[in-house]
Amino acid sequence: MDVAVREDSTRTARTGGLGVVRLLGPAFVASVAYVDPGNVAANVSAGAQFGFLLVWVLVAANAMAVVVQYLSAKLGIVTGRSLPEVVGQRFPRRVRLAYWGQAELVAAATDLAEVIGGAIALNLLFGLPLVLGGAITGAVSLALLVLQHRRRQRHFEFVITGLLVVLTVGFTAGLFVSPPPWSQAAAGLIPRFDGPQSVLLAASMLGATVMPHVIYLHSSLARDRHGRSRTDHETSYLLRATRWDVVIALVVAGGVNIAMLLLAATNLPGQDGTDTIGGAYAAIAGALGPVVAVLFAVGLLASGLASTSVGAYAGAEIMHGLLRVQIPLVVRRLVTLTPALLLLTTDLSPTSMLVISQVVLSFGIPFALIPLVVVTRDARVMGARRNGVVLHLAACAIAMVIVVLNVTLLTLTLFG
């Protein structure tokens, strides 16, 4: 834990006032995972194929994400432990190993999406081969992780938040050039589907919006930034600041996701090749001009660089919390980067790999979310800060909706 950051958080909690701004940051790091390249593939595909039909999925998923990320951060602040640590202490070794295996699979799917996204962006901007672009993305993410490891966490938060600003500009610029028909966009708030493919994309969008690896990670981010406060007043203040942190960060991330879908729904329906990011880039260039297309690619690059750093950070925290094992940062980065680079050498469509990776993430959500709901209601873990009845019921409802959607997706995939 960064002692200086913890002391700064405690001092701010005691003074109050505008000092709450100094406590913002962990949720902005977590929110980057909600606008990763997998989101680009899922949201652009949804907008191009189904217009405004699935706007409601993003709105609902983002509302779920606010609750989920707050619970994760709350766990870290109240207990001084991460979700993987709390879960690992409850399971026998064999169960911990199996649980870690599925969590690592989710982390690998995350890394795949983010490295591929960075590689596609570098290919679009500079014509670099995908494998080289993937290697560069991995190298930059390693540099950011070294920054987080050797310097104060606040430096890492500043860099990631800066990349969040860049990708926000990149992905929303097109809406100012060609605004959507707002009445049609509003109609997309009515929940409905249009066949199995729309359900598949909805699950992909959900997997890209409610991210299992940052459910694990946010508790670590809050713990490392704030520590475990010593007084009830400090805890209350930190939790209040965390609610602002989560809401602001995820409103930004949710707005970017919705902007991507609106951009595709407005400008890309009926155009050939929009089922790929490269095709969408070309279509955006044709419809809105090269400047908007370049901004879109820059946003994709910032998304890949930031989110792969956060994903690798999450993977390390998951391993440490569940297995109490830490391996050198460089070794872990090389191990997790290798599958993505190997897939980039194949003839598989990069965009298709991105969408499928988000489906894998969707199946991983219950394994992170259900334990989070259980432990944050447990008085033995949270004491007097355990979830109240209303918050607990909301969290249970969110978990149930996600599980039902995943079962529906599996049924349609296997038997549809």
Side-chain angles (χ1 to χ4, degrees):
M1 180 189 303
D2 191 323
V3 176
V5 171
R6 175 176 174 172
E7 290 176 349
D8 180 64
S9 297
T10 302
R11 186 165 54 250
T12 304
R14 287 172 178 163
T15 58
L18 294 177
V20 69
V21 176
R22 296 171 64 88
L23 301 179
L24 305 181
F28 284 83
V29 174
S31 72
V32 165
Y34 289 82
V35 283
D36 75 348
N39 291 83
V40 180
N43 296 335
V44 169
S45 294
Q49 293 182 42
F50 295 99
F52 303 102
L53 177 74
L54 299 177
V55 171
W56 68 271
V57 174
L58 292 178
V59 174
N62 207 64
M64 293 179 190
V66 169
V67 176
V68 170
Q69 294 306 139
Y70 172 68
L71 292 184
S72 181
K74 178 183 177 182
L75 176 66
I77 290 171
V78 173
T79 68
R81 293 179 290 168
S82 68
L83 178 60
E85 287 174 325
V86 173
V87 171
Q89 291 171 355
R90 292 185 164 218
F91 290 159
R93 180 169 177 79
R94 287 185 178 179
V95 177
R96 277 205 317 271
L97 285 171
Y99 191 87
W100 169 76
Q102 66 80 28
E104 283 289 352
L105 179 62
V106 167
T110 301
D111 215 35
L112 171 66
E114 292 154 357
V115 171
I116 289 176
I120 293 173
L122 288 170
N123 175 263
L124 294 175
L125 288 169
F126 307 110
L128 296 182
L130 290 176
V131 175
L132 178 58
I136 292 173
T137 302
V140 173
S141 72
L142 177 59
L144 292 176
L145 289 170
V146 170
L147 172 69
Q148 186 278 330
H149 181 69
R150 295 185 178 179
R151 304 295 297 273
R152 298 173 65 177
Q153 182 177 333
R154 194 64 169 157
H155 291 83
F156 182 69
E157 291 175 3
F158 281 144
V159 173
I160 297 299
T161 302
L163 290 171
L164 178 63
V165 171
V166 172
L167 68 89
T168 298
V169 173
F171 289 139
T172 61
L175 291 182
F176 295 95
V177 177
S178 178
W182 294 111
S183 60
Q184 295 181 37
L189 295 172
I190 301 172
R192 61 196 189 280
F193 293 108
D194 184 16
Q197 181 62 22
S198 67
V199 178
L200 178 66
L201 276 172
S204 180
M205 293 160 69
L206 181 66
T209 305
V210 183
M211 302 289 280
H213 69 290
V214 289
I215 297 176
Y216 297 115
L217 177 63
H218 202 162
S219 54
S220 300
L221 292 169
R223 176 203 64 196
D224 293 344
R225 177 72 183 282
H226 304 306
R228 183 174 184 174
S229 57
R230 298 181 183 277
T231 70
D232 188 65
H233 170 71
E234 290 170 2
T235 300
S236 297
Y237 193 89
L238 289 173
L239 290 175
R240 185 162 62 251
T242 295
R243 286 192 287 272
W244 279 107
D245 192 25
V246 170
V247 169
I248 294 170
L250 290 182
V251 164
V252 173
V256 173
N257 279 326
I258 292 171
M260 283 189 278
L261 189 148
L262 296 181
L263 179 69
T266 303
N267 298 284
L268 305 186
Q271 297 198 38
D272 295 334
T274 52
D275 55 339
T276 69
I277 292 180
Y281 170 83
I284 290 171
L288 302 176
V291 174
V292 173
V294 168
L295 288 173
F296 177 84
V298 169
L300 179 63
L301 178 59
S303 170
L305 294 176
S307 55
T308 193
S309 305
V310 173
Y313 186 3
E317 290 294 327
I318 290 168
M319 174 178 281
H320 176 62
L322 289 173
L323 302 185
R324 303 179 184 90
V325 172
Q326 287 183 306
I327 61 176
L329 200 61
V330 175
V331 174
R332 180 173 181 87
R333 176 75 282 201
L334 291 175
V335 169
T336 57
L337 183 62
T338 299
L341 294 180
L342 289 176
L343 284 171
L344 286 173
T345 65
T346 70
D347 293 330
L348 295 173
S349 164
T351 302
S352 296
M353 287 190 283
L354 283 176
V355 172
I356 295 301
S357 73
Q358 302 311 299
V359 176
V360 173
L361 292 179
S362 184
F363 281 103
I365 294 170
F367 292 98
L369 181 54
I370 292 174
L372 177 66
V373 172
V374 171
V375 299
T376 52
R377 176 62 178 171
D378 192 339
R380 294 170 299 177
V381 177
M382 303 293 289
R385 296 288 178 175
R386 71 173 184 163
N387 293 340
V389 174
V390 175
L391 181 56
H392 181 64
L393 290 177
C396 289
I398 289 170
M400 183 172 64
V401 167
I402 292 171
V403 171
V404 168
L405 182 57
N406 288 334
V407 171
T408 303
L409 170 65
L410 180 62
T411 303
L412 290 173
T413 302
L414 295 179
F415 308 108

